[in-house]
């Protein structure tokens, strides 16, 4: 009986956690849940700003309709990048202070965003197979920064075979 009672209590907690996650998903426009969503909510409430002021990178990116066959692979590749927050320079010190003085009960990665430090793109993404060309980026003050980070850290060609890869000059590829 103790085992059954303990199991019932554990299942009840699991059910409650999943129910809470569904409530969060229904109330927002993205699929970002869990501790990162909660932490961002706490930060924006503390600062008195909106979600648009401190976005998840994933809220600024989506796979183009013409590249839907790559969606699963791209989402897996960019998952951790998409869960990062962009913090405008004017809020950065306050966010740092909040993060360092509070128990977040989780982990969050964030980047300081200063529009003045965003340089023009130096990459030439001419191939339709380049990852960046499989994405649509939301028109926002953060767009050029996101493009540069993707080009710098995720400069992949999306090819469907090793033969296609052999024809490339680059050494990075995604095959799915």
């Amino acid at each position: 009986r103790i085992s059954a009672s303990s199991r019932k209590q554990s299942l009840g907690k699991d059910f409650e956690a999943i129910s809470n996650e569904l409530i969060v998903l229904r109330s927002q426009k993205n699929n970002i849940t869990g501790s990162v969503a909660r932490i961002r909510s706490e930060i924006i409430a503390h600062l008195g700003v909106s979600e648009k002021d401190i976005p998840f990178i994933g809220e600024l990116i989506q796979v183009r309709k013409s590249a839907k066959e790559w969606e699963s692979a791209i989402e897996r590749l960019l998952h951790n990048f998409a869960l990062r927050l962009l913090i405008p320079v004017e809020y950065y010190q306050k966010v740092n202070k909040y993060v360092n003085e509070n128990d977040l009960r989780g982990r969050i990665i964030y980047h300081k965003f200063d529009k003045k430090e965003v340089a023009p793109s130096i990459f030439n993404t001419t191939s339709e197979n380049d990852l960046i060309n499989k994405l649509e980026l939301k028109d926002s003050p953060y767009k050029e920064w996101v493009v540069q980070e993707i080009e710098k850290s995720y400069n992949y060609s999306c090819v469907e075979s090793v033969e296609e890869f052999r024809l490339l000059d680059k050494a990075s590829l995604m095959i799915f």
Side-chain angles (χ1 to χ4, degrees), residues 138-155:
K138 186 176 183 178
D139 194 26
S140 75
Y142 311 102
K143 183 177 181 177
E144 196 60 36
W145 184 93
V146 173
V147 168
Q148 288 177 13
E149 287 298 308
I150 291 171
E151 288 177 333
K152 181 174 69 176
S153 301
Y154 303 96
N155 189 21

Side-chain angles (χ1 to χ4, degrees), residues 11-131:
L11 288 172
K13 287 180 182 178
D14 291 347
F15 178 80
E16 186 177 336
I18 292 169
S19 294
N20 289 337
E21 200 163 310
L22 283 171
I23 290 167
V24 170
L25 281 171
R26 286 184 187 126
S27 70
Q28 60 190 29
K29 296 176 184 170
N30 64 46
N31 293 329
I32 300 172
T33 63
S35 65
V36 292
R38 177 188 46 76
I39 292 168
R40 194 238 332 229
S41 292
E42 291 172 5
I43 290 170
I44 63 175
H46 175 74
L47 296 176
V49 298
S50 75
E51 292 178 350
K52 289 181 182 178
D53 294 319
I54 298 181
F56 284 109
I57 293 171
E59 293 173 327
L60 306 173
I61 304 170
Q62 72 179 35
V63 177
R64 292 183 186 277
K65 288 184 176 124
S66 61
K68 283 297 182 189
E69 69 277 10
W70 288 98
E71 186 170 31
S72 177
I74 291 169
E75 285 181 355
R76 285 192 309 270
L77 176 69
L78 297 179
H79 176 78
N80 289 334
F81 179 65
L83 294 178
R84 297 175 184 180
L85 291 175
L86 286 174
I87 311 293
V89 68
E90 63 266 26
Y91 304 128
Y92 193 75
Q93 292 303 323
K94 290 179 182 176
V95 170
N96 266 340
K97 186 175 182 349
Y98 181 82
V99 167
N100 290 320
E101 292 179 356
N102 291 278
D103 178 9
L104 301 178
R105 301 175 324 278
R107 181 179 94 127
I108 193 81
I109 298 173
Y110 54 95
H111 297 274
K112 179 164 63 171
F113 174 78
D114 187 346
K115 189 166 182 70
K116 296 176 197 165
E117 294 178 6
V118 178
S121 181
I122 58 171
F123 290 94
N124 183 10
T125 55
T126 57
S127 170
E128 69 182 48
N129 288 335
D130 288 347
L131 174 67

